[in-house]
Each structure stands twice: as C-alpha cells, then as structure tokens.
Amino acid sequence: PDAVKIGMVSNGELILAIGEILKEYQARHIVVDPVMAATSGSRLIDGEAVAVLKDRLIPMADLLTPNVPEAEILSGMKINSPEDMEQAARLIGDRCGCAVLCKGGHQQNDANDLLYMDGQAKWFYGKRINNPNTHGTGCTLSSAIAAHLALGEDLKTAIQKSKEYISQALAAMLDLGHGSGPLDHAFILRKDSLQ
C-alpha cells in the first residue's frame, strides 16, 4: 500500500497482528491515530494494549496523531498550554522515533495542531468553526493525511491540505440525528451546488 492509517485497536493481540502485516507488506507512510482516550479524557483501551501499542506499533509509524489526552498518556505529563503541547510532542517523538501531530482542536487552542518532526516544532493554525457535529474529526484528519501521503505529498503539505478539508467538511454544517453527529465528508460532491 502507498499509505496506511491505523485507528482504534482493541487489544494487544490485534496490535501485534497489525504490526506483522505491516512488516510483511513493507507498508509505507504509516499514520497511527492512537485512539486511547476520548477528548473528554475517558480511557478507551486497557493498559496492556497501550503498552503493546507503544512498544510495537508506534515505532513503525511515520506519523502519530494523538489528541491532548492521548499525548498526556504517551508523554507521561499533563498538558495545560501550547508550551506543554510542544514539550509532550518532543518527548513522544524523540522516544518513538516518528513525527508527532498533537491535535489541540477540542481542548487547548481551538483548531491549532502542533507537528514535531526532525527536532523542529511547527504549528498548523485553524479557525474554530461553530458546529456541534464534530464526531470523528480526529479520525478523519489522520485518514486525510494518509490519503495525501499516498498521493505523493510531503508530510507538511499533507497536514495543511487535510486541515483545510476538515474545515470545509465542518463548514458544510451537516446535521444528522441527535447529539454530536459526523462532519460532512462528502461536502465536495455538492460544492458547486452550494456556491
């Protein structure tokens, strides 16, 4: 495959199996969205699976895309400011040997995300869009980054284009069901008719 995105995995055995397949197929452009904690801070997988994820899968990644609670788990530190995000991303990136995009969209600084790569930090700023339907935004961002990497974009360009896609999908204001619904992944299909 030209790129692979890995999201939530439920247990250590599954993580080990994914790692073996990635090696077997010599996968490139591996993006790992370490779905370990909800933005609310609730843990989504057990400690054993987190340990296997850290030990086996994250070191294979080209890019890791934790939200703030996940970055706290991976770095072992509390994140309360943009400076803390930079420190946590540096700790994770240096320990794991991959680029880290720390997603701050829901908690720290609106839609601003921090990339730590090759010893350098770069902020990607985004405008907050007043839309309650944000379910799956982080998952969609990491998937879009993997898609742009598969198309041959460099990592920084892939992140910038993916953030623009997310902003437009949120701005389309899809409203399905009750509670926090999904963003409008297919907004582009109707883009001409919206203008």
Side-chain angles (χ1 to χ4, degrees):
D2 293 322
V4 175
K5 181 261 181 166
I6 300 160
M8 185 172 178
V9 287
S10 57
N11 61 59
E13 189 176 321
L14 182 57
I15 294 167
L16 292 172
I18 291 168
E20 290 303 314
I21 294 297
L22 292 174
K23 283 182 193 174
E24 181 181 339
Y25 286 95
Q26 301 176 11
R28 305 179 305 127
H29 303 304
I30 300 169
V31 177
V32 175
D33 187 9
V35 183
M36 300 182 296
T39 305
S40 65
S42 301
R43 292 289 286 260
L44 300 174
I45 63 174
D46 64 35
E48 179 188 338
V50 171
V52 177
L53 187 70
K54 285 179 171 180
D55 185 50
R56 295 294 179 93
L57 203 52
I58 291 175
M60 298 177 78
D62 293 286
L63 177 67
L64 183 68
T65 62
N67 62 24
V68 168
E70 291 156 353
E72 289 178 338
I73 293 168
L74 292 168
S75 67
M77 64 174 282
K78 192 76 179 144
I79 298 173
N80 295 308
S81 67
E83 293 77 22
D84 289 346
M85 282 178 70
E86 290 186 21
Q87 183 180 354
R90 185 177 309 108
L91 284 170
I92 297 164
D94 290 348
R95 186 180 307 139
C96 298
C98 64
V100 177
L101 182 68
C102 190
K103 301 176 293 192
H106 296 291
Q107 202 168 342
Q108 295 298 317
N109 49 22
D110 290 328
N112 300 337
D113 301 327
L114 170 76
L115 174 66
Y116 177 78
M117 181 176 77
D118 300 327
Q120 302 287 321
K122 175 177 175 42
W123 284 95
F124 289 85
Y125 297 100
K127 186 177 90 173
R128 187 123 184 126
I129 295 168
N130 189 19
N131 183 342
N133 297 304
T134 58
H135 187 73
T137 305
C139 179
T140 301
L141 177 64
S142 58
S143 297
I145 292 168
H148 281 288
L149 291 172
L151 291 171
E153 302 284 0
D154 65 83
L155 185 56
K156 290 178 183 176
T157 302
I159 292 169
Q160 186 61 51
K161 287 183 175 183
S162 298
K163 283 186 66 67
E164 290 166 8
Y165 168 76
I166 294 291
S167 293
Q168 292 178 59
L170 286 167
M173 298 306 221
L174 180 66
D175 191 19
L176 296 176
H178 301 284
S180 179
L183 58 164
D184 189 353
H185 296 92
F187 76 91
I188 197 101
L189 300 175
R190 294 178 304 281
K191 192 171 184 180
D192 291 335
S193 65
L194 294 173
Q195 294 177 359

